[in-house]
């Protein structure tokens, strides 16, 4: 009921309290989206955050939400140990696979930039109709 940004802020505050991970949510041109889209975007961010906590050994994570007329962009950036996305895809990790499936269900595209010792930048671009 509070919207995506508020829900993510609450989630990150809880994670920060448990894990010591420094978190931040930045929002550009916020507006409400249909509840089905907001729920899927929340799940995408939640799974991405789970991956950061479980695997990245990060000290900081930032989530950026950018709204424009026709597109929504969710970005998650961490300072963790990074990984090789091609190897992770072949290893059958369900977290990234689940994120990819959710993004595709929304008609969007997913980009993951990461390399060992350089952190990870996940970007999900969703068209808004």
């Amino acid at each position: 009921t509070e919207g995506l940004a508020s829900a993510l802020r609450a989630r990150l505050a809880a994670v920060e309290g448990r894990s010591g991970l420094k978190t931040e949510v930045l929002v550009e041109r916020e507006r409400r989206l249909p509840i089905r889209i907001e729920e899927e975007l929340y799940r995408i961010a939640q799974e991405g955050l789970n991956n950061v906590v479980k695997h990245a050994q990060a000290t900081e994570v930032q989530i950026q939400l950018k709204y424009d007329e026709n597109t929504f962009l969710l970005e998650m950036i961490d300072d963790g140990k990074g990984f090789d996305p091609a190897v992770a895809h072949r290893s059958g990790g369900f977290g990234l696979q689940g994120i990819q499936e959710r993004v595709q269900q929304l008609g969007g595209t997913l980009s993951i930039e990461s390399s060992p010792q350089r952190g990870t930048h996940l970007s999900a671009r969703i068209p808004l109709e």
Side-chain angles (χ1 to χ4, degrees):
T1 61
E2 300 171 10
L4 179 61
S6 293
L8 287 175
R9 283 187 183 101
R11 176 75 178 144
L12 269 84
V15 168
E16 191 172 273
R18 284 194 318 268
S19 69
L21 183 67
K22 182 181 174 200
T23 65
E24 182 177 32
V25 177
L26 301 175
V27 182
E28 189 175 300
R29 298 176 58 185
E30 183 174 5
R31 64 184 170 108
R32 291 301 304 262
L33 301 175
I35 191 71
R36 180 188 79 79
I37 294 175
E38 285 191 345
E39 287 174 350
E40 288 298 313
L41 292 168
Y42 179 83
R43 299 290 178 226
I44 290 166
Q46 183 179 38
E47 186 58 47
L49 186 58
N50 287 344
N51 287 343
V52 170
V53 170
K54 284 184 192 176
H55 307 294
Q57 298 175 353
T59 60
E60 297 180 12
V61 64
Q62 181 183 84
I63 295 179
Q64 298 178 10
L65 308 176
K66 298 177 183 177
Y67 299 76
D68 70 25
E69 297 303 315
N70 302 311
T71 307
F72 173 83
L73 180 64
L74 180 150
E75 295 183 289
M76 182 174 290
I77 303 156
D78 72 59
D79 68 346
K81 66 180 184 175
F83 64 98
D84 181 340
V87 171
H89 180 72
R90 287 193 306 267
S91 72
F94 293 113
L96 290 176
Q97 180 180 338
I99 291 171
Q100 177 68 47
E101 289 172 2
R102 288 182 188 276
V103 170
Q104 286 176 339
Q105 286 175 358
L106 294 172
T109 58
L110 178 67
S111 169
I112 300 172
E113 297 174 20
S114 187
S115 60
Q117 308 312 315
R118 294 194 176 259
T120 300
H121 184 159
L122 179 144
S123 178
R125 185 173 302 277
I126 309 299
L128 302 175
E129 300 160 279

